[in-house]
Amino acid sequence: MKTPFDLLKNHEIKPNTNRMLVIQHFMDDHKAHSLCTLHELLKDQMDRTTVYRILILFTDKGILQKIPCSDGNILFALNSGNSEKKNNTHFRCKCCQKVENLPDLPEEYLQRLTDQKINLEGIAFEGYCMDCSQ
């Protein structure tokens, strides 16, 4: 597995203390976080604006992906790194916040959605994972 330093360098991002803290957090827990929850976890190290700027930078560089939620929040999660994916379907556990990448939707289904001018970016299914539903 890559180190946070290597991940940032591979995406042409200059590593600094704050960026390393944010990416290490995502790499350690493999969960999705909103700006608010991430800031709450890191508020002793950096302010909300800094967290926001880092999230946007990481999203623009492809390290993180945005996941829209049914409650209107935007979550950020580590990108799967698969540039061949035709769509970004995810499953998010409402209890533990773990995010999993799901297989691509069938081509026929995607074509139908494309014909309808539906935005396929960041499709998210929500529910309870096997660990939390027991």
Side-chain angles (χ1 to χ4, degrees), residues 54-66 76:
I54 291 170
L55 291 174
I56 296 305
L57 173 66
F58 288 178
T59 302
D60 289 346
K61 292 289 191 171
I63 294 175
L64 298 180
Q65 52 193 339
K66 289 182 183 179
F76 296 86

Side-chain angles (χ1 to χ4, degrees), residues 15-78:
N16 66 29
T17 303
N18 289 340
R19 292 172 181 167
M20 296 286 283
L21 281 170
V22 171
I23 200 62
Q24 184 68 59
H25 191 74
F26 280 100
M27 291 175 82
D28 286 348
D29 72 5
H30 303 286
K31 294 182 182 178
H33 298 280
S34 69
L35 169 62
C36 293
T37 57
L38 195 57
H39 174 251
E40 188 62 31
L41 294 167
L42 300 171
K43 67 183 176 185
D44 292 336
Q45 289 87 12
M46 64 191 89
D47 62 27
R48 183 181 178 96
T49 302
T50 302
V51 175
Y52 176 75
R53 288 180 179 154
I54 291 170
L55 291 174
I56 296 305
L57 173 66
F58 288 178
T59 302
D60 289 346
K61 292 289 191 171
I63 294 175
L64 298 180
Q65 52 193 339
K66 289 182 183 179
I67 303 170
C69 296
S70 59
D71 62 5
N73 273 330
I74 299 289
L75 296 179
F76 296 86
L78 278 177

Side-chain angles (χ1 to χ4, degrees), residues 80-131:
S80 66
N82 186 353
S83 60
E84 299 298 314
K85 278 188 77 74
K86 296 179 180 94
N87 55 74
N88 280 335
T89 43
H90 302 90
F91 170 77
R92 178 182 74 97
C93 179
K94 289 181 169 185
C95 183
C96 71
Q97 303 300 313
K98 184 178 4 175
V99 173
E100 297 177 24
N101 290 314
L102 298 175
D104 283 342
L105 295 171
E107 191 65 40
E108 179 181 319
Y109 189 81
L110 290 173
Q111 185 61 45
R112 176 82 186 257
L113 292 176
T114 302
D115 290 345
Q116 300 298 320
K117 307 283 190 266
I118 295 172
N119 183 2
L120 296 174
E121 185 176 314
I123 298 170
F125 294 96
E126 297 177 330
Y128 298 92
C129 70
M130 295 297 288
D131 293 334

